[in-house]
Amino acid sequence: MPKSSKPAQSSEGAARRGWKQDPEAVKANILKVAYEIFARSGLSGARIEEIAHRTETSKRMIYYYFGDKDGLYRAVLESAYIAMRKGEDLLDLGGVPPVEALRRLAEFTFDHHRSAEDFVRLVMIENVHDGRHMSMLDEMAGQNISVIRLLEDIYQRGCAAGLFRRGLDAVELHWMISSMSYFNVSNRVTFSQIFGNDLFNPLGQQKLRRHVGDMMVRFVLRDDVSLDAGLARSNEDIRMINPDIYRFLEVWDSKWASLPKGASVQDRRLKFEAIAREMRLPTPEGVETDGEYWIESDGGPVRVRVFRAAGTAAQPALIYLHGGAWMQGSPETHWDITARIAGWNGQTVISVDYGLAPENPYPTAFQQVFAVTQWAHREAGTLNIDPAKIAIGGDSAGGNIAAAVALKCREEGVALSAQLLIYPACDFDQTRPSYIENADGPLLKVQGMDGVNRMYSPDESKLSSDPFVAPLVAESHADLPPAYVAVAQNDPLRDSGVAYADALEAAGVPVTRDSGEGLIHGYLRSMEYCALAEDKLRAMAAWLRETNA
Protein backbone atom coordinates (compact mmCIF):
# COMPACT_ATOMS: atom_id res chain seq x y z
CA MET A 1 0.00 0.00 0.00
CA PRO A 2 1.61 3.31 -1.05
CA LYS A 3 2.55 5.76 1.66
CA SER A 4 1.02 9.20 1.72
CA SER A 5 3.25 11.91 0.39
CA LYS A 6 2.01 14.29 3.13
CA PRO A 7 4.13 14.41 6.29
CA ALA A 8 2.54 13.36 9.61
CA GLN A 9 1.17 16.26 11.64
CA SER A 10 1.93 16.27 15.36
CA SER A 11 -0.48 17.76 17.85
CA GLU A 12 2.26 20.18 18.84
CA GLY A 13 2.56 21.29 15.22
CA ALA A 14 -1.20 21.83 14.98
CA ALA A 15 -1.14 23.78 18.23
CA ARG A 16 1.71 25.92 16.95
CA ARG A 17 -0.27 26.80 13.83
CA GLY A 18 -3.29 27.69 16.01
CA TRP A 19 -1.01 29.86 18.11
CA LYS A 20 0.21 31.73 15.05
CA GLN A 21 -3.27 32.06 13.54
CA ASP A 22 -5.17 33.18 16.64
CA PRO A 23 -2.93 33.42 19.70
CA GLU A 24 -5.55 35.24 21.80
CA ALA A 25 -8.07 32.47 21.24
CA VAL A 26 -5.49 29.86 22.27
CA LYS A 27 -4.64 31.85 25.38
CA ALA A 28 -8.32 32.25 26.27
CA ASN A 29 -8.89 28.52 25.84
CA ILE A 30 -5.98 27.71 28.15
CA LEU A 31 -7.39 30.06 30.79
CA LYS A 32 -10.87 28.53 30.52
CA VAL A 33 -9.64 24.97 30.98
CA ALA A 34 -7.17 25.96 33.70
CA TYR A 35 -9.99 27.77 35.56
CA GLU A 36 -11.97 24.51 35.78
CA ILE A 37 -8.97 22.38 36.77
CA PHE A 38 -7.62 24.77 39.43
CA ALA A 39 -11.12 25.11 40.92
CA ARG A 40 -11.50 21.32 41.03
CA SER A 41 -8.00 20.28 42.08
CA GLY A 42 -6.49 23.33 43.72
CA LEU A 43 -3.10 24.81 42.94
CA SER A 44 -1.09 21.86 44.21
CA GLY A 45 -3.33 19.21 42.61
CA ALA A 46 -3.58 20.79 39.15
CA ARG A 47 -1.30 19.36 36.45
CA ILE A 48 -0.03 21.29 33.45
CA GLU A 49 -0.10 18.01 31.48
CA GLU A 50 -3.88 17.73 31.94
CA ILE A 51 -4.42 21.36 30.96
CA ALA A 52 -2.29 20.91 27.85
CA HIS A 53 -4.13 17.71 26.91
CA ARG A 54 -7.59 19.27 27.27
CA THR A 55 -6.64 22.35 25.28
CA GLU A 56 -4.83 20.32 22.59
CA THR A 57 -1.86 22.57 22.99
CA SER A 58 1.60 21.96 24.44
CA LYS A 59 3.15 22.49 27.85
CA ARG A 60 5.78 24.62 26.14
CA MET A 61 3.13 27.00 24.83
CA ILE A 62 1.50 27.27 28.26
CA TYR A 63 4.90 28.15 29.75
CA TYR A 64 5.47 30.61 26.90
CA TYR A 65 2.29 32.52 27.79
CA PHE A 66 2.24 32.21 31.57
CA GLY A 67 5.79 31.41 32.70
CA ASP A 68 4.97 28.54 35.07
CA LYS A 69 2.03 26.93 36.90
CA ASP A 70 1.91 29.70 39.49
CA GLY A 71 1.79 32.29 36.72
CA LEU A 72 -1.08 30.46 35.04
CA TYR A 73 -2.92 30.25 38.36
CA ARG A 74 -2.53 33.99 38.92
CA ALA A 75 -3.82 34.69 35.41
CA VAL A 76 -6.87 32.51 36.08
CA LEU A 77 -7.52 34.28 39.37
CA GLU A 78 -7.27 37.67 37.72
CA SER A 79 -9.57 36.69 34.83
CA ALA A 80 -12.20 35.42 37.27
CA TYR A 81 -12.36 38.76 39.08
CA ILE A 82 -12.35 40.70 35.81
CA ALA A 83 -15.40 38.72 34.63
CA MET A 84 -17.30 39.53 37.81
CA ARG A 85 -16.43 43.21 37.66
CA LYS A 86 -17.58 43.36 34.02
CA GLY A 87 -20.91 41.87 35.07
CA GLU A 88 -21.31 44.60 37.68
CA ASP A 89 -20.52 47.26 35.08
CA LEU A 90 -23.20 45.87 32.76
CA LEU A 91 -25.81 46.50 35.45
CA ASP A 92 -25.44 50.22 34.62
CA LEU A 93 -26.68 51.37 38.01
CA GLY A 94 -25.61 54.99 37.73
CA GLY A 95 -29.10 56.19 36.79
CA VAL A 96 -31.01 53.75 38.97
CA PRO A 97 -32.52 55.12 42.23
CA PRO A 98 -30.27 54.19 45.17
CA VAL A 99 -32.62 51.77 46.98
CA GLU A 100 -33.28 49.80 43.82
CA ALA A 101 -29.60 50.01 42.77
CA LEU A 102 -28.39 48.53 46.08
CA ARG A 103 -30.89 45.69 45.82
CA ARG A 104 -29.88 44.92 42.22
CA LEU A 105 -26.19 44.84 43.09
CA ALA A 106 -26.78 42.54 46.08
CA GLU A 107 -28.98 40.17 44.08
CA PHE A 108 -26.52 40.20 41.15
CA THR A 109 -23.71 39.13 43.50
CA PHE A 110 -25.86 36.32 44.87
CA ASP A 111 -26.71 35.16 41.33
CA HIS A 112 -23.10 35.42 40.16
CA HIS A 113 -21.69 33.33 42.98
CA ARG A 114 -24.48 30.78 42.68
CA SER A 115 -23.90 30.31 38.94
CA ALA A 116 -20.10 30.58 39.13
CA GLU A 117 -19.24 28.04 41.81
CA ASP A 118 -15.74 27.71 40.39
CA PHE A 119 -15.14 31.37 41.24
CA VAL A 120 -15.98 30.72 44.89
CA ARG A 121 -13.74 27.65 44.93
CA LEU A 122 -10.85 29.69 43.54
CA VAL A 123 -11.35 32.30 46.25
CA MET A 124 -11.37 29.53 48.86
CA ILE A 125 -8.13 28.12 47.43
CA GLU A 126 -6.46 31.51 47.45
CA ASN A 127 -7.44 31.97 51.08
CA VAL A 128 -5.76 28.64 51.85
CA HIS A 129 -2.61 30.14 50.30
CA ASP A 130 -2.99 33.28 52.46
CA GLY A 131 -3.68 35.44 49.41
CA ARG A 132 -0.02 35.46 48.37
CA HIS A 133 -0.81 35.14 44.66
CA MET A 134 -3.33 37.99 44.67
CA SER A 135 -0.74 40.21 46.34
CA MET A 136 1.55 39.62 43.36
CA LEU A 137 -1.04 40.91 40.86
CA ASP A 138 -0.43 44.62 40.46
CA GLU A 139 -3.72 45.21 38.63
CA MET A 140 -5.95 43.31 41.03
CA ALA A 141 -6.50 46.11 43.53
CA GLY A 142 -7.32 48.58 40.77
CA GLN A 143 -9.82 46.22 39.16
CA ASN A 144 -11.65 45.45 42.38
CA ILE A 145 -11.81 49.05 43.54
CA SER A 146 -14.51 49.58 40.89
CA VAL A 147 -17.15 47.79 42.97
CA ILE A 148 -16.25 49.94 45.99
CA ARG A 149 -16.64 53.08 43.89
CA LEU A 150 -19.99 51.78 42.63
CA LEU A 151 -21.21 51.09 46.15
CA GLU A 152 -19.92 54.44 47.37
CA ASP A 153 -21.86 56.20 44.61
CA ILE A 154 -25.07 54.31 45.45
CA TYR A 155 -24.62 54.94 49.16
CA GLN A 156 -23.89 58.66 48.83
CA ARG A 157 -26.86 59.14 46.50
CA GLY A 158 -29.05 57.40 49.06
CA CYS A 159 -27.76 59.61 51.84
CA ALA A 160 -28.28 62.76 49.76
CA ALA A 161 -31.88 61.70 49.08
CA GLY A 162 -32.51 61.28 52.79
CA LEU A 163 -33.03 57.51 52.45
CA PHE A 164 -29.83 55.96 53.89
CA ARG A 165 -28.44 56.42 57.37
CA ARG A 166 -25.02 58.02 57.52
CA GLY A 167 -21.83 56.61 59.06
CA LEU A 168 -21.52 53.50 56.90
CA ASP A 169 -18.68 52.58 54.58
CA ALA A 170 -18.73 51.08 51.05
CA VAL A 171 -16.17 48.43 52.02
CA GLU A 172 -18.42 47.33 54.89
CA LEU A 173 -21.37 47.04 52.52
CA HIS A 174 -19.30 45.03 50.04
CA TRP A 175 -18.21 42.69 52.85
CA MET A 176 -21.81 42.06 53.85
CA ILE A 177 -23.03 41.41 50.31
CA SER A 178 -20.08 39.14 49.55
CA SER A 179 -20.30 37.18 52.79
CA MET A 180 -23.92 36.14 52.30
CA SER A 181 -23.45 35.29 48.63
CA TYR A 182 -20.18 33.44 49.28
CA PHE A 183 -21.51 31.32 52.14
CA ASN A 184 -24.39 30.17 49.95
CA VAL A 185 -21.87 28.31 47.76
CA SER A 186 -18.90 27.63 50.03
CA ASN A 187 -20.93 25.93 52.76
CA ARG A 188 -23.73 24.42 50.70
CA VAL A 189 -22.67 20.81 51.12
CA THR A 190 -22.07 20.88 54.87
CA PHE A 191 -25.15 23.03 55.51
CA SER A 192 -27.29 20.59 53.53
CA GLN A 193 -25.90 17.61 55.37
CA ILE A 194 -26.86 19.14 58.72
CA PHE A 195 -30.10 20.99 57.95
CA GLY A 196 -31.41 19.46 54.73
CA ASN A 197 -31.44 20.71 51.14
CA ASP A 198 -34.59 22.87 51.07
CA LEU A 199 -32.70 26.17 50.89
CA PHE A 200 -30.73 24.98 47.87
CA ASN A 201 -33.58 23.88 45.63
CA PRO A 202 -34.82 26.50 43.07
CA LEU A 203 -37.53 27.91 45.34
CA GLY A 204 -35.20 28.09 48.34
CA GLN A 205 -32.54 29.88 46.33
CA GLN A 206 -35.06 32.39 45.04
CA LYS A 207 -36.13 33.13 48.61
CA LEU A 208 -32.52 33.54 49.79
CA ARG A 209 -31.76 35.84 46.85
CA ARG A 210 -34.64 38.06 47.85
CA HIS A 211 -33.65 37.96 51.52
CA VAL A 212 -30.12 39.14 50.65
CA GLY A 213 -31.56 42.15 48.83
CA ASP A 214 -34.00 42.87 51.66
CA MET A 215 -31.32 42.61 54.35
CA MET A 216 -28.97 45.00 52.58
CA VAL A 217 -31.69 47.56 51.94
CA ARG A 218 -33.08 47.32 55.47
CA PHE A 219 -29.57 47.69 56.92
CA VAL A 220 -28.83 50.99 55.18
CA LEU A 221 -32.30 52.58 55.33
CA ARG A 222 -33.04 55.17 57.94
CA ASP A 223 -35.53 54.06 60.60
CA ASP A 224 -38.18 56.44 59.32
CA VAL A 225 -37.97 55.25 55.68
CA SER A 226 -40.04 52.33 54.36
CA LEU A 227 -38.55 49.38 52.50
CA ASP A 228 -40.05 50.34 49.14
CA ALA A 229 -38.93 53.98 49.25
CA GLY A 230 -37.08 55.40 46.29
CA LEU A 231 -38.20 52.84 43.71
CA ALA A 232 -38.41 54.17 40.16
CA ARG A 233 -42.03 54.65 39.15
CA SER A 234 -43.99 56.65 36.63
CA ASN A 235 -47.18 58.51 37.61
CA GLU A 236 -46.40 57.64 41.24
CA ASP A 237 -49.07 59.97 42.50
CA ILE A 238 -51.68 57.74 40.80
CA ARG A 239 -50.02 54.34 40.62
CA MET A 240 -48.94 52.43 43.70
CA ILE A 241 -47.27 49.28 42.42
CA ASN A 242 -46.33 46.48 44.81
CA PRO A 243 -42.49 46.62 45.03
CA ASP A 244 -42.19 42.86 44.48
CA ILE A 245 -43.65 43.39 41.01
CA TYR A 246 -40.53 45.35 40.03
CA ARG A 247 -38.32 42.34 40.74
CA PHE A 248 -40.49 40.23 38.45
CA LEU A 249 -40.44 42.90 35.74
CA GLU A 250 -36.65 43.06 35.79
CA VAL A 251 -36.47 39.37 34.97
CA TRP A 252 -39.39 39.42 32.55
CA ASP A 253 -38.14 42.46 30.60
CA SER A 254 -34.58 41.12 30.43
CA LYS A 255 -35.82 37.88 28.86
CA TRP A 256 -37.84 39.73 26.22
CA ALA A 257 -34.98 42.16 25.48
CA SER A 258 -33.35 39.78 23.00
CA LEU A 259 -36.41 39.79 20.73
CA PRO A 260 -35.56 42.03 17.75
CA LYS A 261 -37.66 45.11 17.10
CA GLY A 262 -40.25 44.45 14.45
CA ALA A 263 -40.37 40.74 15.27
CA SER A 264 -43.29 38.89 13.71
CA VAL A 265 -46.27 37.55 15.63
CA GLN A 266 -44.87 34.07 15.06
CA ASP A 267 -41.50 35.07 16.52
CA ARG A 268 -43.25 36.53 19.57
CA ARG A 269 -45.15 33.29 20.09
CA LEU A 270 -41.98 31.24 20.06
CA LYS A 271 -40.28 33.66 22.45
CA PHE A 272 -43.26 33.59 24.81
CA GLU A 273 -43.23 29.79 24.87
CA ALA A 274 -39.49 29.74 25.60
CA ILE A 275 -39.69 32.34 28.39
CA ALA A 276 -42.67 30.63 30.01
CA ARG A 277 -40.83 27.32 29.89
CA GLU A 278 -37.72 28.85 31.50
CA MET A 279 -39.73 30.52 34.27
CA ARG A 280 -42.15 27.67 34.96
CA LEU A 281 -42.57 26.83 38.63
CA PRO A 282 -42.57 23.24 39.92
CA THR A 283 -45.87 21.46 39.28
CA PRO A 284 -47.74 20.72 42.53
CA GLU A 285 -47.30 17.15 43.66
CA GLY A 286 -49.98 14.73 42.54
CA VAL A 287 -51.20 16.73 39.53
CA GLU A 288 -51.32 14.78 36.27
CA THR A 289 -50.46 16.97 33.29
CA ASP A 290 -50.05 14.65 30.31
CA GLY A 291 -53.71 14.16 29.26
CA GLU A 292 -54.36 15.62 25.80
CA TYR A 293 -57.47 15.49 23.60
CA TRP A 294 -58.47 16.88 20.22
CA ILE A 295 -62.03 18.12 19.79
CA GLU A 296 -63.81 18.90 16.54
CA SER A 297 -65.56 22.26 16.28
CA ASP A 298 -67.03 24.69 13.75
CA GLY A 299 -63.73 26.56 14.13
CA GLY A 300 -61.66 23.47 13.32
CA PRO A 301 -60.01 20.90 15.58
CA VAL A 302 -58.69 22.19 18.89
CA ARG A 303 -56.28 20.64 21.40
CA VAL A 304 -56.80 20.65 25.14
CA ARG A 305 -54.36 19.73 27.91
CA VAL A 306 -55.92 18.29 31.06
CA PHE A 307 -54.50 19.03 34.50
CA ARG A 308 -56.04 16.59 36.98
CA ALA A 309 -55.48 16.20 40.70
CA ALA A 310 -54.92 12.70 42.04
CA GLY A 311 -58.10 10.85 42.99
CA THR A 312 -60.65 8.43 41.60
CA ALA A 313 -63.88 10.32 42.40
CA ALA A 314 -65.57 12.56 39.86
CA GLN A 315 -64.07 16.06 40.19
CA PRO A 316 -65.27 19.61 39.58
CA ALA A 317 -63.84 20.98 36.35
CA LEU A 318 -62.64 24.36 35.09
CA ILE A 319 -62.31 25.07 31.37
CA TYR A 320 -59.40 27.54 31.29
CA LEU A 321 -58.47 29.96 28.51
CA HIS A 322 -55.00 31.48 28.50
CA GLY A 323 -54.24 35.13 27.89
CA GLY A 324 -51.90 36.54 25.26
CA ALA A 325 -53.83 39.20 23.29
CA TRP A 326 -55.59 36.48 21.25
CA MET A 327 -52.36 36.07 19.28
CA GLN A 328 -49.98 34.12 21.54
CA GLY A 329 -49.96 31.73 24.46
CA SER A 330 -50.97 28.14 25.01
CA PRO A 331 -51.82 25.69 27.81
CA GLU A 332 -48.06 25.40 28.31
CA THR A 333 -47.46 29.14 28.84
CA HIS A 334 -50.11 29.20 31.60
CA TRP A 335 -49.12 25.90 33.22
CA ASP A 336 -48.36 27.54 36.59
CA ILE A 337 -51.94 28.81 36.91
CA THR A 338 -53.82 25.71 35.79
CA ALA A 339 -51.61 23.21 37.63
CA ARG A 340 -52.03 25.12 40.89
CA ILE A 341 -55.79 25.41 40.65
CA ALA A 342 -55.96 21.66 39.96
CA GLY A 343 -53.64 20.80 42.84
CA TRP A 344 -55.01 23.23 45.42
CA ASN A 345 -58.64 22.36 44.69
CA GLY A 346 -58.32 18.65 43.99
CA GLN A 347 -60.04 19.24 40.65
CA THR A 348 -59.64 18.94 36.88
CA VAL A 349 -58.62 21.89 34.71
CA ILE A 350 -59.12 21.65 30.94
CA SER A 351 -56.73 24.16 29.32
CA VAL A 352 -57.65 25.06 25.74
CA ASP A 353 -55.12 25.65 22.94
CA TYR A 354 -57.51 27.77 20.90
CA GLY A 355 -56.65 29.15 17.45
CA LEU A 356 -54.61 32.36 17.50
CA ALA A 357 -54.99 35.56 15.50
CA PRO A 358 -54.26 36.82 12.93
CA GLU A 359 -54.32 33.42 11.19
CA ASN A 360 -57.45 32.45 13.14
CA PRO A 361 -59.54 35.59 13.73
CA TYR A 362 -62.94 35.71 15.43
CA PRO A 363 -65.03 33.56 15.59
CA THR A 364 -62.49 30.68 15.47
CA ALA A 365 -61.41 30.68 19.13
CA PHE A 366 -64.95 31.41 20.31
CA GLN A 367 -66.35 28.46 18.34
CA GLN A 368 -63.59 26.15 19.51
CA VAL A 369 -64.05 26.97 23.18
CA PHE A 370 -67.82 26.56 23.00
CA ALA A 371 -67.28 23.14 21.40
CA VAL A 372 -64.88 22.20 24.23
CA THR A 373 -67.58 23.18 26.75
CA GLN A 374 -70.11 20.92 25.03
CA TRP A 375 -67.52 18.13 24.81
CA ALA A 376 -66.76 18.38 28.54
CA HIS A 377 -70.43 17.79 29.32
CA ARG A 378 -70.75 15.02 26.77
CA GLU A 379 -67.58 13.21 27.92
CA ALA A 380 -67.93 13.91 31.65
CA GLY A 381 -67.99 10.20 32.43
CA THR A 382 -64.82 9.51 30.44
CA LEU A 383 -63.09 12.53 31.98
CA ASN A 384 -64.35 11.55 35.44
CA ILE A 385 -65.71 15.03 36.10
CA ASP A 386 -69.01 16.18 37.60
CA PRO A 387 -71.16 17.70 34.79
CA ALA A 388 -73.01 19.81 37.36
CA LYS A 389 -69.75 21.45 38.42
CA ILE A 390 -68.14 22.66 35.20
CA ALA A 391 -66.89 26.25 35.38
CA ILE A 392 -65.21 28.42 32.76
CA GLY A 393 -62.45 30.97 33.24
CA GLY A 394 -59.46 32.72 31.79
CA ASP A 395 -57.14 35.69 32.03
CA SER A 396 -56.92 38.77 29.81
CA ALA A 397 -57.92 37.72 26.27
CA GLY A 398 -58.85 34.36 27.77
CA GLY A 399 -61.15 36.16 30.21
CA ASN A 400 -62.82 37.83 27.24
CA ILE A 401 -63.47 34.48 25.54
CA ALA A 402 -64.64 32.90 28.81
CA ALA A 403 -67.24 35.65 29.35
CA ALA A 404 -68.37 35.41 25.72
CA VAL A 405 -68.75 31.62 25.85
CA ALA A 406 -70.69 31.91 29.11
CA LEU A 407 -73.20 34.07 27.19
CA LYS A 408 -73.36 31.45 24.42
CA CYS A 409 -73.86 28.63 26.93
CA ARG A 410 -76.77 30.54 28.45
CA GLU A 411 -78.34 30.79 24.99
CA GLU A 412 -77.79 27.10 24.18
CA GLY A 413 -78.72 25.71 27.57
CA VAL A 414 -75.23 24.41 28.39
CA ALA A 415 -74.84 24.52 32.16
CA LEU A 416 -71.90 26.31 33.77
CA SER A 417 -71.42 26.48 37.52
CA ALA A 418 -69.17 29.57 37.63
CA GLN A 419 -67.07 31.99 35.59
CA LEU A 420 -63.60 33.12 36.69
CA LEU A 421 -62.59 36.32 34.87
CA ILE A 422 -59.03 37.50 35.55
CA TYR A 423 -58.13 41.02 34.32
CA PRO A 424 -60.52 40.45 31.39
CA ALA A 425 -61.09 42.60 28.30
CA CYS A 426 -64.90 42.88 28.34
CA ASP A 427 -65.19 45.74 25.86
CA PHE A 428 -62.90 47.99 23.82
CA ASP A 429 -63.74 51.48 25.09
CA GLN A 430 -60.37 53.22 25.46
CA THR A 431 -61.89 56.41 26.91
CA ARG A 432 -62.12 54.77 30.33
CA PRO A 433 -59.85 56.36 33.01
CA SER A 434 -57.74 53.22 33.46
CA TYR A 435 -56.59 53.43 29.83
CA ILE A 436 -55.29 56.93 30.48
CA GLU A 437 -53.78 56.29 33.93
CA ASN A 438 -52.02 53.10 32.83
CA ALA A 439 -51.30 53.84 29.20
CA ASP A 440 -47.65 52.76 29.55
CA GLY A 441 -48.23 49.51 31.39
CA PRO A 442 -46.29 47.88 32.95
CA LEU A 443 -46.53 44.72 30.82
CA LEU A 444 -49.55 45.89 28.82
CA LYS A 445 -49.48 49.18 26.93
CA VAL A 446 -52.35 50.99 25.22
CA GLN A 447 -50.20 51.79 22.21
CA GLY A 448 -50.65 48.97 19.74
CA MET A 449 -53.96 47.75 21.18
CA ASP A 450 -55.93 48.87 18.13
CA GLY A 451 -53.78 46.72 15.86
CA VAL A 452 -54.12 43.71 18.15
CA ASN A 453 -57.89 44.16 18.34
CA ARG A 454 -58.12 44.29 14.53
CA MET A 455 -56.14 41.05 14.31
CA TYR A 456 -58.71 39.36 16.51
CA SER A 457 -61.75 40.97 14.87
CA PRO A 458 -60.98 42.32 11.38
CA ASP A 459 -64.58 43.58 11.26
CA GLU A 460 -64.03 46.46 13.68
CA SER A 461 -67.76 47.12 14.03
CA LYS A 462 -68.03 43.93 16.07
CA LEU A 463 -65.77 45.43 18.75
CA SER A 464 -68.69 47.61 19.84
CA SER A 465 -71.69 45.55 18.74
CA ASP A 466 -71.11 41.79 19.02
CA PRO A 467 -71.53 40.44 22.58
CA PHE A 468 -69.42 37.39 21.68
CA VAL A 469 -66.53 39.80 20.94
CA ALA A 470 -67.32 42.41 23.62
CA PRO A 471 -69.41 40.69 26.33
CA LEU A 472 -70.25 44.00 28.02
CA VAL A 473 -72.48 45.05 25.08
CA ALA A 474 -74.87 42.08 25.53
CA GLU A 475 -78.51 43.16 25.85
CA SER A 476 -78.84 41.16 29.05
CA HIS A 477 -76.47 39.62 31.56
CA ALA A 478 -79.18 37.92 33.55
CA ASP A 479 -79.09 34.21 34.35
CA LEU A 480 -75.32 33.94 33.90
CA PRO A 481 -73.30 31.81 36.34
CA PRO A 482 -71.80 33.36 39.49
CA ALA A 483 -68.67 35.34 38.66
CA TYR A 484 -65.33 36.12 40.24
CA VAL A 485 -63.93 39.26 38.56
CA ALA A 486 -60.31 40.05 39.39
CA VAL A 487 -58.85 43.26 38.03
CA ALA A 488 -55.52 45.02 38.67
CA GLN A 489 -55.16 48.58 39.90
CA ASN A 490 -52.40 49.44 37.42
CA ASP A 491 -53.93 47.81 34.33
CA PRO A 492 -55.39 49.60 31.29
CA LEU A 493 -58.16 46.95 31.24
CA ARG A 494 -59.12 47.57 34.89
CA ASP A 495 -62.24 49.64 34.21
CA SER A 496 -63.48 47.23 31.55
CA GLY A 497 -63.50 44.42 34.11
CA VAL A 498 -65.11 46.67 36.73
CA ALA A 499 -67.85 47.68 34.27
CA TYR A 500 -68.57 44.02 33.53
CA ALA A 501 -68.82 43.19 37.23
CA ASP A 502 -71.25 46.11 37.58
CA ALA A 503 -73.35 44.82 34.66
CA LEU A 504 -73.49 41.31 36.11
CA GLU A 505 -74.53 42.59 39.55
CA ALA A 506 -77.18 44.84 38.00
CA ALA A 507 -78.61 41.75 36.29
CA GLY A 508 -78.78 39.84 39.58
CA VAL A 509 -75.70 37.67 39.06
CA PRO A 510 -73.67 36.98 42.25
CA VAL A 511 -70.26 38.62 41.83
CA THR A 512 -67.10 38.40 43.91
CA ARG A 513 -64.65 41.20 43.15
CA ASP A 514 -60.94 41.66 43.64
CA SER A 515 -59.59 45.14 42.93
CA GLY A 516 -55.97 43.97 42.63
CA GLU A 517 -54.55 46.86 44.65
CA GLY A 518 -50.88 47.44 43.82
CA LEU A 519 -50.92 44.90 40.98
CA ILE A 520 -50.52 45.03 37.21
CA HIS A 521 -51.97 43.27 34.19
CA GLY A 522 -50.64 39.73 34.02
CA TYR A 523 -49.65 39.67 37.70
CA LEU A 524 -50.22 35.92 38.06
CA ARG A 525 -47.00 35.45 36.10
CA SER A 526 -45.11 37.03 39.02
CA MET A 527 -45.94 34.41 41.68
CA GLU A 528 -42.28 33.43 42.11
CA TYR A 529 -41.40 37.02 43.05
CA CYS A 530 -44.59 38.47 44.49
CA ALA A 531 -46.27 36.63 47.37
CA LEU A 532 -49.41 38.73 46.89
CA ALA A 533 -49.86 37.32 43.37
CA GLU A 534 -49.91 33.77 44.72
CA ASP A 535 -52.33 34.85 47.46
CA LYS A 536 -54.68 36.17 44.76
CA LEU A 537 -54.62 32.89 42.84
CA ARG A 538 -55.28 30.97 46.07
CA ALA A 539 -58.31 33.19 46.69
CA MET A 540 -59.61 32.46 43.19
CA ALA A 541 -59.12 28.73 43.72
CA ALA A 542 -60.88 28.88 47.08
CA TRP A 543 -63.84 30.68 45.48
CA LEU A 544 -64.09 27.99 42.79
CA ARG A 545 -63.95 25.31 45.45
CA GLU A 546 -66.70 26.94 47.54
CA THR A 547 -68.89 27.71 44.52
CA ASN A 548 -68.70 24.09 43.37
CA ALA A 549 -69.13 22.64 46.87
Side-chain angles (χ1 to χ4, degrees), residues 405-423:
V405 171
L407 290 168
K408 178 68 172 176
C409 287
R410 181 191 62 180
E411 284 188 5
E412 300 296 329
V414 179
L416 290 173
S417 62
Q419 51 182 328
L420 173 62
L421 309 178
I422 308 168
Y423 28 84

Side-chain angles (χ1 to χ4, degrees), residues 87-133:
E88 291 163 346
D89 291 342
L90 289 174
L91 292 174
D92 194 19
L93 298 177
V96 177
V99 173
E100 191 173 347
L102 181 60
R103 180 183 296 281
R104 286 192 196 179
L105 182 59
E107 293 182 352
F108 164 82
T109 306
F110 184 90
D111 288 341
H112 172 272
H113 286 22
R114 180 188 172 197
S115 62
E117 292 187 0
D118 283 353
F119 172 82
V120 175
R121 292 192 183 101
L122 279 173
V123 174
M124 294 167 68
I125 290 165
E126 183 58 11
N127 274 282
V128 169
H129 292 281
D130 296 322
R132 63 184 176 87
H133 294 91

Side-chain angles (χ1 to χ4, degrees), residues 481-485 500-506 508-514 543:
Y484 189 109
V485 181
Y500 198 64
D502 291 343
L504 292 173
E505 281 189 337
V509 176
V511 177
T512 299
R513 300 173 184 247
D514 188 329
W543 176 83

